[in-house]
Amino acid sequence: MSSKSAVWHPFTQHAVQPEAILVDGAEGAWLHAPDGRRIFDAVSSWWVVTHGHRHPHIVQAIKNQIDRLDQVIFAGFTHPPAETLARQLVAITPPELEYVFFSDSGSTSVEVALKMALGFWRHRGENRSRILALQGAYHGDTIGGMSVGERGVFNAPYDSLLFDVERLPFPYPGSEQATLEALKAACRSGGIAALIVEPLILGAGGMLIYPPWVLSEMKQICRAHNVLFIADEVMTGWGRTGTLFACEQADVTPDIACYSKGLTGGSLPLAVTLCRADIFEAHFSTDRSRTFFHSSSYTANPVACAAAVANLEIWQREPVKARIDRIAATHARRLDRFRDDRRFANVRQIGTIAAFDIVTSDAGYLATIGPQLYKDFLARDVLIRPLGNTIYLMPPYCSSDRELDAVYDAIEGVVA
Ligand SMILES: *Cc1c(COP(=O)(O)O)cnc(C)c1O
């Protein structure tokens, strides 16, 4: 057997990045390497693990389900975990969200949302097909997801495939009104099908936070102009911003909402797109050409759905909110020291997410400092993946104060 790996890794420049670290186990907030090394997972394995790796209740639910039903075609067939999950999702989201469409990643949940929006207007006989999005947004790496996301080094080679989107400036502090005015102007220009937003925080776009009142105003403007409001809660959902869903903080009910990442507690891939009844009804017809033509082979995989049901049970049974509040308090306490430290800028926090920028002459995603920091943190057995010169922490909710303090100590050590 050749020792050279055949794996092509995501978001990895194999020519300059060190070999991937082999991990053969995980528990709680820790990744286990075969040689006994333990690495603290301060980014929740790319934002998916909420309660911790291998939460016993989720592991048990997966084991129980695999013994009964592994997979079944989801057109013309259904199964208990999907039915239970859909019912419970409808119950915990705002009352207007009544239907659940399953898929298997955040990107596909966004594709589904965009297709729902365009199908809605087409079947209603209205000519609305343009999409609005925020500058700096990230909505996934499929063609539709990239189209509504920020353009740049990530998608330049595929530019010819991406569709045009109208962009609203990001509501930086002090310039929120410009965003709202741009939204109003775009809505008035006509032909707009939907606005898609990451509520309260742009994740991959650099952990940029904006206040709930802006989200709420954006929703009201959309409503006044009959523009569908799509909330991409793929990252913000499941407690990340301090509430179960970020939209709650703005008292906003989206017309369409995307959830993934923490949906299964981070154990298995699954995504859902929830929508209002009239979006479902626009596709409901004896005319078969109005069918919602979308599916992935593994749509609503029973084992993944069972894991998601177990996740919801954990939210009901365990003091998840208290854990989130504790992590938020620890972030606040430690970040406080960074605020008047001139090596740091834009120190910010929302719920369990903490972020700050390292002051450097070459900012941006390809800032040379990023890979160096990544290596330095790993040398201290902490997994932190800076977004350029932005360092962020998004730990699993099982992380203790002591563990988080150790992470902050590592940051202070590395930056010194
Ligand atoms: C991660 C992410 C996606 C894409 O999800 P995948 O599961 O990686 O396809 C979409 N939108 C947002 C806001 C995300 O953070």
Side-chain angles (χ1 to χ4, degrees):
M1 205 176 82
S2 152
S3 64
K4 189 176 172 299
S5 169
V7 176
W8 190 345
H9 287 271
F11 270 70
T12 300
Q13 179 43 269
H14 284 263
V16 294
Q17 278 171 252
E19 227 178 282
I21 296 167
L22 188 65
V23 165
D24 66 352
E27 188 168 8
W30 295 87
L31 305 176
H32 299 177
D35 60 2
R37 184 177 175 196
R38 298 284 180 267
I39 299 172
F40 186 81
D41 188 357
V43 297
S44 297
S45 278
W46 249 347
W47 320 349
V48 300
V49 175
T50 47
H51 312 295
H53 288 270
R54 290 198 307 110
H55 187 291
H57 188 58
I58 294 177
V59 170
Q60 195 55 51
I62 290 171
K63 287 179 176 168
N64 294 347
Q65 183 57 42
I66 198 75
D67 275 342
R68 285 178 173 271
L69 174 67
D70 51 353
Q71 164 70 6
V72 63
I73 178 173
F74 206 58
F77 290 81
T78 193
H79 51 77
E83 293 295 335
T84 303
L85 178 58
R87 224 174 19 250
Q88 293 185 352
L89 287 171
V90 166
I92 60 171
T93 52
E96 289 89 338
L97 295 173
E98 292 186 48
Y99 287 90
V100 179
F101 193 93
F102 287 95
S103 60
D104 34 34
S105 72
S107 301
T108 53
S109 74
V110 167
E111 299 282 345
V112 165
L114 297 172
K115 285 172 72 171
M116 277 181 179
L118 262 68
F120 173 76
W121 292 117
R122 184 185 177 91
H123 300 325
R124 285 204 160 189
E126 280 196 50
N127 185 17
R128 288 176 180 255
S129 55
R130 285 150 64 213
I131 303 287
L132 300 175
L134 276 182
Q135 247 168 30
Y138 177 78
H139 295 291
D141 282 333
T142 48
I143 297 295
M146 284 192 291
S147 294
V148 290
E150 179 72 18
R151 305 298 166 85
V153 63
F154 310 100
N155 41 43
Y158 330 114
D159 196 54
S160 61
L161 293 181
L162 306 185
F163 55 79
D164 280 339
V165 172
E166 280 168 62
R167 284 189 208 279
L168 312 175
F170 180 79
Y172 285 104
S175 55
E176 296 92 347
Q177 224 51 47
T179 306
L180 300 175
E181 289 309 320
L183 174 57
K184 278 183 207 157
C187 287
R188 280 196 214 105
S189 71
I192 306 294
L195 165 68
I196 182 166
V197 294
E198 296 164 85
L200 302 188
I201 175 168
L202 270 55
M207 301 296 161
L208 300 179
I209 299 170
Y210 63 95
W213 70 266
V214 177
L215 186 67
S216 163
E217 295 262 317
M218 287 196 289
K219 165 70 197 184
Q220 282 167 34
I221 294 166
C222 286
R223 191 193 182 102
H225 293 87
N226 267 330
V227 166
L228 294 176
F229 186 93
I230 303 172
D232 176 354
E233 292 239 23
V234 168
M235 186 277 271
T236 52
W238 311 105
R240 279 297 167 200
T241 67
T243 44
L244 182 58
F245 302 117
C247 282
E248 290 171 19
Q249 294 179 44
D251 211 5
V252 156
T253 297
D255 300 305
I256 302 175
C258 307
Y259 308 111
S260 185
K261 294 196 168 117
L263 173 58
T264 59
S267 60
L268 287 172
L270 185 70
V272 286
T273 308
L274 271 69
C275 71
R276 268 186 359 217
D278 53 350
I279 294 170
F280 174 84
E281 280 151 15
H283 295 80
F284 186 83
S285 168
T286 51
D287 173 359
R288 293 180 65 193
S289 73
R290 285 193 178 200
T291 304
F292 188 55
F293 291 111
H294 190 97
S295 174
S296 334
S297 309
Y298 287 102
T299 296
N301 172 263
V303 184
C305 288
V309 171
N311 168 45
L312 291 186
E313 285 165 353
I314 291 168
W315 273 89
Q316 281 165 5
R317 293 177 190 174
E318 296 186 19
V320 181
K321 182 71 171 78
R323 291 175 193 149
I324 287 170
D325 291 345
R326 189 178 40 72
I327 287 171
T330 304
H331 279 326
R333 172 168 56 79
R334 293 301 300 250
L335 286 178
D336 213 34
R337 298 196 207 168
F338 291 180
R339 283 187 207 278
D340 35 40
D341 187 325
R342 293 176 58 186
R343 292 169 302 178
F344 304 120
N346 305 318
V347 178
R348 52 203 187 268
Q349 183 199 351
I350 182 167
T352 67
I353 308 170
F356 49 90
D357 303 340
I358 299 288
V359 175
T360 167
S361 51
D362 71 329
Y365 185 83
L366 296 182
T368 44
I369 197 172
Q372 188 55 48
L373 289 167
Y374 174 76
K375 261 191 257 170
D376 293 344
F377 291 130
L378 268 181
R380 291 166 191 254
D381 292 332
V382 179
L383 167 54
I384 294 177
R385 269 184 73 96
L387 292 160
N389 63 318
T390 297
I391 295 180
Y392 71 89
L393 302 177
M394 203 189 292
Y397 308 155
C398 62
S399 311
S400 69
D401 286 353
R402 245 184 56 210
E403 287 167 334
L404 286 180
D405 272 317
V407 169
Y408 277 99
D409 291 345
I411 292 171
E412 288 184 358
V414 162
V415 172

